[in-house]
Amino acid sequence: MAEHKAEPGSGGASSLGATVRTLAQTLWFPAFFFTGFLVCYLLPFHNPTPHHVDVAVAGPAAEQLDQALEKQSPGAFDIHQVADADAARDAVTSRDMTAGYVPDPKTPQLFVAKADGYSLESVLQKTFTAVAQQSGGKLQMHDVAPTAPGDGMGTGLFYVVLSCTIPSYVSVMMLLRATTFGRRKKVLTLVAIGVVESVVAFFVARSMDVIPNEPLAIPLVFLMTQAVALTSFGLVPFFKSFFPGVAMGLFVLLSMPSSGGAIPVQMVPGFFRALHPIMPMGNLIEGLRGLFYFDGKDVWRHALVIAVWVVAGLALIALGAWKDRRAERKEAAEREEAAAVEEPPVEDPSFELPQPSAVAPHTHRLGRQEPTLTGRVTDERGEPLPGVALTVTGTHGRELMRAITDENGEYAATGLPDHFVNVIASSPERLAAVARVMARDGHPVRQDFRLTPRRTAAGAPAGR
């Protein structure tokens, strides 16, 4: 008889492959986060330089100055000729231009807006101080839009907006664990969180003089929280376990560098400048700048862009609900035909996806998942049966989890898929019982069993 020997190293190769798969499944998100921070933060922030900064120059010297600056810093400044000093100033206050320069042999003037960013103001001052010195004059700086007293660096507005952006995304991640909450409750919770964030952020920033007293900022901030939260929640059914990477990429890795809050948008690479008019964070910062420092310039245009994100989020949520209902109808039709179908993926995945598991009955602690299936196992006299094994399987018969009844004969399970499951109650001395139940997110179900002894119920039905 020929002996069959395993190929050398085959077991090791299989073990190595399993290890690699496990690491890839568990560490892909921190690897994505690490790479994203390097690319999206180090790249635009390591050496910010001006790109196509619009400057209004009074008088006929504009063309000559344009040529000189283009030779010195190619692509850094775009010079536009205006009639006089008043026109140069008005171009800055109306946000048509970033700066205004008035050439004069003795006292040249530069109009800037610190509200557009302290680092951009510094670059403009350095550049045009050198221009003034070449003509023998001493530059006079005029800040036509100074920031609030508590925002000396001009970045306070960015951190106010950031404090409402990241929690809006994280709130979605945490609500995905609330298995007893349906879709509607989760949406209402996200709206309530947005109200609290926007009100608290406004009054805290006001107490520190980071922003002026403009209450209209509260609905603008609230609108942005909903743009982030509702869009993130709407993406869950479509990206499932990859949702954290997609939402984090959109609202953290791409939104923050393109917002123009920490570093003015005129000083980041072209890719992020192109994102600036689209992303909700950048539009909120520009809208608040217009509201606080530029007499409401373009506030409603930026609010409209943020509102489009809110509508898109609501549309995604509605589409996800329709997708789930369609899957339920399909499952019902196939069940009637007794056709086996694959279990749909678990709804609302997060960093730690809800897994089918047993939990202690009647134990509800903060941060723990609520039971989605509960029940009690009794004997033929209605007395509780402790130590009975409860096995939950999917429609294929694949075991999802096991539980053991406590001293009161009770059991509880959580994290079950939004689907029909089979629940089997078994004990060595009694006839097993089986039931088919529908586990649904936000709708806990109860299933009790009565087990009869084997010696007195031979041939009897397995259970109810």
PDB file of all heavy atoms in Angstrom, residues 171-183:
ATOM      1  N   SER A 171     -20.045  59.851  16.156  1.00  0.00           N
ATOM      2  CA  SER A 171     -21.383  59.525  16.670  1.00  0.00           C
ATOM      3  C   SER A 171     -22.038  58.432  15.837  1.00  0.00           C
ATOM      4  O   SER A 171     -22.726  57.551  16.370  1.00  0.00           O
ATOM      5  CB  SER A 171     -22.264  60.784  16.668  1.00  0.00           C
ATOM      6  OG  SER A 171     -21.749  61.770  17.529  1.00  0.00           O
ATOM      7  N   VAL A 172     -21.821  58.483  14.527  1.00  0.00           N
ATOM      8  CA  VAL A 172     -22.358  57.422  13.667  1.00  0.00           C
ATOM      9  C   VAL A 172     -21.725  56.088  14.027  1.00  0.00           C
ATOM     10  O   VAL A 172     -22.407  55.061  14.142  1.00  0.00           O
ATOM     11  CB  VAL A 172     -22.116  57.756  12.185  1.00  0.00           C
ATOM     12  CG1 VAL A 172     -22.584  56.620  11.288  1.00  0.00           C
ATOM     13  CG2 VAL A 172     -22.843  59.051  11.812  1.00  0.00           C
ATOM     14  N   MET A 173     -20.404  56.081  14.235  1.00  0.00           N
ATOM     15  CA  MET A 173     -19.714  54.841  14.573  1.00  0.00           C
ATOM     16  C   MET A 173     -20.278  54.233  15.862  1.00  0.00           C
ATOM     17  O   MET A 173     -20.478  53.026  15.951  1.00  0.00           O
ATOM     18  CB  MET A 173     -18.219  55.121  14.747  1.00  0.00           C
ATOM     19  CG  MET A 173     -17.545  55.755  13.545  1.00  0.00           C
ATOM     20  SD  MET A 173     -17.630  54.693  12.082  1.00  0.00           S
ATOM     21  CE  MET A 173     -16.839  53.231  12.692  1.00  0.00           C
ATOM     22  N   MET A 174     -20.523  55.076  16.850  1.00  0.00           N
ATOM     23  CA  MET A 174     -21.011  54.572  18.126  1.00  0.00           C
ATOM     24  C   MET A 174     -22.471  54.108  18.033  1.00  0.00           C
ATOM     25  O   MET A 174     -22.855  53.118  18.644  1.00  0.00           O
ATOM     26  CB  MET A 174     -20.881  55.654  19.200  1.00  0.00           C
ATOM     27  CG  MET A 174     -19.440  56.063  19.509  1.00  0.00           C
ATOM     28  SD  MET A 174     -18.428  54.691  20.151  1.00  0.00           S
ATOM     29  CE  MET A 174     -17.498  54.220  18.676  1.00  0.00           C
ATOM     30  N   LEU A 175     -23.282  54.824  17.262  1.00  0.00           N
ATOM     31  CA  LEU A 175     -24.694  54.438  17.141  1.00  0.00           C
ATOM     32  C   LEU A 175     -24.870  53.118  16.415  1.00  0.00           C
ATOM     33  O   LEU A 175     -25.899  52.458  16.574  1.00  0.00           O
ATOM     34  CB  LEU A 175     -25.473  55.535  16.416  1.00  0.00           C
ATOM     35  CG  LEU A 175     -25.960  56.696  17.279  1.00  0.00           C
ATOM     36  CD1 LEU A 175     -26.629  57.751  16.420  1.00  0.00           C
ATOM     37  CD2 LEU A 175     -26.928  56.202  18.352  1.00  0.00           C
ATOM     38  N   LEU A 176     -23.897  52.716  15.622  1.00  0.00           N
ATOM     39  CA  LEU A 176     -24.007  51.433  14.940  1.00  0.00           C
ATOM     40  C   LEU A 176     -24.035  50.271  15.921  1.00  0.00           C
ATOM     41  O   LEU A 176     -24.474  49.176  15.584  1.00  0.00           O
ATOM     42  CB  LEU A 176     -22.839  51.256  13.958  1.00  0.00           C
ATOM     43  CG  LEU A 176     -22.804  52.260  12.802  1.00  0.00           C
ATOM     44  CD1 LEU A 176     -21.644  51.965  11.868  1.00  0.00           C
ATOM     45  CD2 LEU A 176     -24.102  52.255  12.033  1.00  0.00           C
ATOM     46  N   ARG A 177     -23.564  50.516  17.146  1.00  0.00           N
ATOM     47  CA  ARG A 177     -23.600  49.456  18.162  1.00  0.00           C
ATOM     48  C   ARG A 177     -24.957  49.382  18.862  1.00  0.00           C
ATOM     49  O   ARG A 177     -25.210  48.448  19.605  1.00  0.00           O
ATOM     50  CB  ARG A 177     -22.518  49.716  19.206  1.00  0.00           C
ATOM     51  CG  ARG A 177     -21.109  49.750  18.639  1.00  0.00           C
ATOM     52  CD  ARG A 177     -20.103  49.907  19.760  1.00  0.00           C
ATOM     53  NE  ARG A 177     -18.744  49.903  19.259  1.00  0.00           N
ATOM     54  CZ  ARG A 177     -17.673  49.910  20.032  1.00  0.00           C
ATOM     55  NH1 ARG A 177     -17.823  49.919  21.339  1.00  0.00           N
ATOM     56  NH2 ARG A 177     -16.465  49.913  19.509  1.00  0.00           N
ATOM     57  N   ALA A 178     -25.781  50.402  18.679  1.00  0.00           N
ATOM     58  CA  ALA A 178     -27.097  50.426  19.339  1.00  0.00           C
ATOM     59  C   ALA A 178     -28.053  49.529  18.561  1.00  0.00           C
ATOM     60  O   ALA A 178     -28.855  49.990  17.751  1.00  0.00           O
ATOM     61  CB  ALA A 178     -27.626  51.854  19.423  1.00  0.00           C
ATOM     62  N   THR A 179     -27.967  48.213  18.798  1.00  0.00           N
ATOM     63  CA  THR A 179     -28.741  47.248  18.013  1.00  0.00           C
ATOM     64  C   THR A 179     -30.235  47.323  18.288  1.00  0.00           C
ATOM     65  O   THR A 179     -31.030  46.813  17.501  1.00  0.00           O
ATOM     66  CB  THR A 179     -28.237  45.822  18.306  1.00  0.00           C
ATOM     67  OG1 THR A 179     -28.295  45.582  19.717  1.00  0.00           O
ATOM     68  CG2 THR A 179     -26.806  45.654  17.827  1.00  0.00           C
ATOM     69  N   THR A 180     -30.635  47.954  19.420  1.00  0.00           N
ATOM     70  CA  THR A 180     -32.072  48.070  19.696  1.00  0.00           C
ATOM     71  C   THR A 180     -32.670  49.326  19.076  1.00  0.00           C
ATOM     72  O   THR A 180     -33.877  49.532  19.178  1.00  0.00           O
ATOM     73  CB  THR A 180     -32.310  48.097  21.215  1.00  0.00           C
ATOM     74  OG1 THR A 180     -31.585  49.191  21.788  1.00  0.00           O
ATOM     75  CG2 THR A 180     -31.851  46.795  21.851  1.00  0.00           C
ATOM     76  N   PHE A 181     -31.847  50.157  18.459  1.00  0.00           N
ATOM     77  CA  PHE A 181     -32.328  51.363  17.779  1.00  0.00           C
ATOM     78  C   PHE A 181     -32.538  51.067  16.304  1.00  0.00           C
ATOM     79  O   PHE A 181     -31.643  50.538  15.640  1.00  0.00           O
ATOM     80  CB  PHE A 181     -31.312  52.504  17.916  1.00  0.00           C
ATOM     81  CG  PHE A 181     -31.511  53.357  19.140  1.00  0.00           C
ATOM     82  CD1 PHE A 181     -32.051  52.814  20.291  1.00  0.00           C
ATOM     83  CD2 PHE A 181     -31.157  54.694  19.137  1.00  0.00           C
ATOM     84  CE1 PHE A 181     -32.238  53.586  21.423  1.00  0.00           C
ATOM     85  CE2 PHE A 181     -31.333  55.478  20.261  1.00  0.00           C
ATOM     86  CZ  PHE A 181     -31.876  54.917  21.408  1.00  0.00           C
ATOM     87  N   GLY A 182     -33.714  51.409  15.804  1.00  0.00           N
ATOM     88  CA  GLY A 182     -33.957  51.302  14.379  1.00  0.00           C
ATOM     89  C   GLY A 182     -33.364  52.491  13.629  1.00  0.00           C
ATOM     90  O   GLY A 182     -32.791  53.413  14.221  1.00  0.00           O
ATOM     91  N   ARG A 183     -33.528  52.487  12.331  1.00  0.00           N
ATOM     92  CA  ARG A 183     -32.949  53.537  11.491  1.00  0.00           C
ATOM     93  C   ARG A 183     -33.493  54.918  11.864  1.00  0.00           C
ATOM     94  O   ARG A 183     -32.748  55.893  11.943  1.00  0.00           O
ATOM     95  CB  ARG A 183     -33.230  53.213  10.019  1.00  0.00           C
ATOM     96  CG  ARG A 183     -32.610  54.203   9.041  1.00  0.00           C
ATOM     97  CD  ARG A 183     -32.895  53.808   7.613  1.00  0.00           C
ATOM     98  NE  ARG A 183     -32.038  52.696   7.186  1.00  0.00           N
ATOM     99  CZ  ARG A 183     -32.438  51.446   7.077  1.00  0.00           C
ATOM    100  NH1 ARG A 183     -33.687  51.109   7.376  1.00  0.00           N
ATOM    101  NH2 ARG A 183     -31.618  50.502   6.678  1.00  0.00           N
TER     102      ARG A 183
END
